[in-house]
């Protein structure tokens, strides 16, 4: 987990720790978190649900938010999303 | 057998020209630019009071609302029993209405599985598994749905038939409506789910 913490970028406005949570909570928590940041700001999500790989792409397509980055570190997935 | 994406060498030379002509005549629809994401409507018709369907309805409703879909839930028949306050044990006025609530305990925390209920053993096992795999409980999902702005519309007819009173129901429900409201939403282009 240490490596994930050091990977964080300064401009990230909100973080969602959805590790250990199943569908739909990673998406629900992200939808709530993204409302707390300004348009153009970034939200970082950590998740362990393998379904989230497809789900975050789909969710960004539905909402118009931009999936800036997605990476996997072992079983933890990291998504960076820019609010539209 | 090996799959290959290479063009077969036996293809007739004329096929390329035909393919190009088809592509020119019917260009692939371009993905809408991000700015053009429209707000859409979903009507979920929540008919069942079974635990597994309750769970599915809540997951879909919360996800729709989280995806920017204007989500309305029409709660009817057995579905309404899930929206009675957990602490209300008996509902209704007549003996038959009361019997129905006694035979099937109302409340979001008291849902039974449609199969393998085994006097509560099934739901208990579902709860243990849900906890182990990080699946939110129905009560947590309901809270999330309300926070995300999902609109719950109880069915007036079912309220009357089961003798359910406004004070029996959880807070945050909308005004009771009838089927015509649902049909009107569908006529205006809302997607629908019946669970």
């Amino acid at each position: 987990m240490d490596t994930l913490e050091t990977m964080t970028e300064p401009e990230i406005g909100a973080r969602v720790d959805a590790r250990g949570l199943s569908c739909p909570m990673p998406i629900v928590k992200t939808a709530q978190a993204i409302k707390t940041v300004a348009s153009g700001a970034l939200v970082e999500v950590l998740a362990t649900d393998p379904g989230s790989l497809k789900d975050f792409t789909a969710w960004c397509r539905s909402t118009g938010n931009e999936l800036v980055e997605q990476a996997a570190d072992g079983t933890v997935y990291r998504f960076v999303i820019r609010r539209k | 057998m090996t799959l290959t994406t290479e063009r077969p060498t036996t293809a007739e030379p004329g096929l390329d020209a035909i393919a190009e002509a088809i592509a020119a005549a019917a260009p692939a629809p371009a993905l809408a630019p991000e700015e053009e994401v429209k707000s859409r409507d979903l009507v979920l018709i929540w008919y069942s009071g079974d635990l597994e369907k309750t769970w599915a309805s809540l997951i879909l409703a919360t996800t729709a609302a989280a995806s920017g879909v204007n989500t309305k839930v029409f709660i009817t028949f057995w579905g309404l029993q899930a929206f009675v306050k957990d602490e209300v044990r008996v509902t209704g006025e007549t003996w038959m209405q009361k019997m129905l609530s006694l035979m099937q305990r109302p409340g979001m925390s008291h849902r039974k599985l449609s199969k393998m209920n085994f006097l509560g053993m099934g739901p208990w096992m579902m709860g243990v598994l849900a906890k182990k795999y990080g699946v939110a409980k129905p009560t947590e999902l309901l809270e999330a749905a309300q926070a995300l702005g999902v609109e719950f519309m109880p069915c007036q007819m079912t309220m009357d038939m089961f003798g359910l009173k406004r004070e029996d129901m959880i807070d945050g429900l909308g005004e009771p409506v009838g089927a015509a409201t649902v049909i009107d939403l569908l006529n205006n282009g809302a997607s629908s789910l019946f669970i």
Side-chain angles (χ1 to χ4, degrees):
Chain A
M1 293 312 121
D2 285 345
T3 49
L4 285 164
E5 249 94 56
T6 52
M7 275 164 71
T8 54
E9 293 161 39
E11 69 264 45
I12 283 172
R15 288 192 169 80
V16 177
D17 185 358
R19 287 174 292 181
L21 300 180
S22 283
C23 167
M25 291 320 280
I27 292 289
V28 168
K29 283 183 179 285
T30 304
Q32 285 169 333
I34 210 155
K35 286 185 199 151
T36 66
V37 303
S39 177
L42 299 177
V43 173
E44 181 200 61
V45 184
L46 299 181
T48 49
D49 172 18
S52 62
L53 276 175
K54 284 225 179 243
D55 282 354
F56 274 95
T57 308
W59 181 77
C60 286
R61 199 162 47 228
S62 286
T63 55
N65 298 306
E66 184 194 350
L67 185 56
V68 180
E69 198 185 314
Q70 72 176 49
D73 179 7
T75 56
V76 179
Y77 306 104
R78 177 175 180 266
F79 304 93
V80 178
I81 298 158
R82 190 189 309 281
R83 184 174 181 179
K84 80 163 170 177
Chain B
M1 189 186 135
T2 322
L3 288 173
T4 172
T5 52
E6 278 173 344
R7 186 178 302 226
T9 48
T10 53
E12 290 176 33
L15 287 180
D16 275 350
I18 295 166
E20 275 167 30
I22 290 168
L31 285 175
E34 284 172 12
E35 297 76 45
E36 285 184 22
V37 172
K38 291 185 216 112
S39 115
R40 295 129 297 179
D41 296 314
L42 172 73
V43 180
L44 191 153
I45 301 164
W46 183 321
Y47 176 87
S48 171
D50 296 333
L51 173 61
E52 70 274 25
K53 296 190 189 77
T54 295
W55 227 319
S57 296
L58 284 166
I59 288 169
L60 289 164
T62 47
T63 306
S67 302
V69 177
N70 184 18
T71 308
K72 292 182 164 71
V73 176
F74 178 63
I75 326 162
T76 187
F77 282 86
W78 306 115
L80 261 182
Q81 289 202 319
F83 289 84
V84 172
K85 287 175 187 148
D86 274 342
E87 60 271 21
V88 174
R89 184 64 194 88
V90 184
T91 56
E93 293 291 319
T94 69
W95 71 267
M96 245 190 239
Q97 290 168 339
K98 285 177 181 164
M99 273 300 286
L100 279 173
S101 67
L102 280 167
M103 285 154 64
Q104 194 175 51
R105 184 168 184 180
M108 191 58 82
S109 301
H110 307 127
R111 301 296 84 217
K112 292 178 179 173
L113 289 169
S114 65
K115 287 179 188 167
M116 300 185 291
N117 192 63
F118 291 120
L119 299 169
M121 186 77 170
W124 175 79
M125 282 160 68
M126 288 285 281
V128 171
L129 288 173
K131 197 167 185 181
K132 186 175 174 202
Y133 290 96
V135 179
K137 288 188 294 188
T139 46
E140 292 164 348
L141 288 166
L142 176 62
E143 206 175 299
Q146 291 189 311
L148 288 163
V150 174
E151 194 184 320
F152 290 98
M153 310 182 294
C155 167
Q156 179 71 64
M157 177 277 287
T158 311
M159 297 265 301
D160 295 344
M161 190 172 74
F162 288 164
L164 294 170
K165 293 189 284 290
R166 197 62 197 84
E167 58 265 31
D168 294 331
M169 313 304 291
I170 62 161
D171 294 333
L173 299 185
E175 286 299 307
V177 297
T181 302
V182 177
I183 298 299
D184 183 50
L185 289 165
L186 297 179
N187 281 340
N188 283 295
S191 319
S192 68
L193 287 169
F194 184 96
I195 301 176

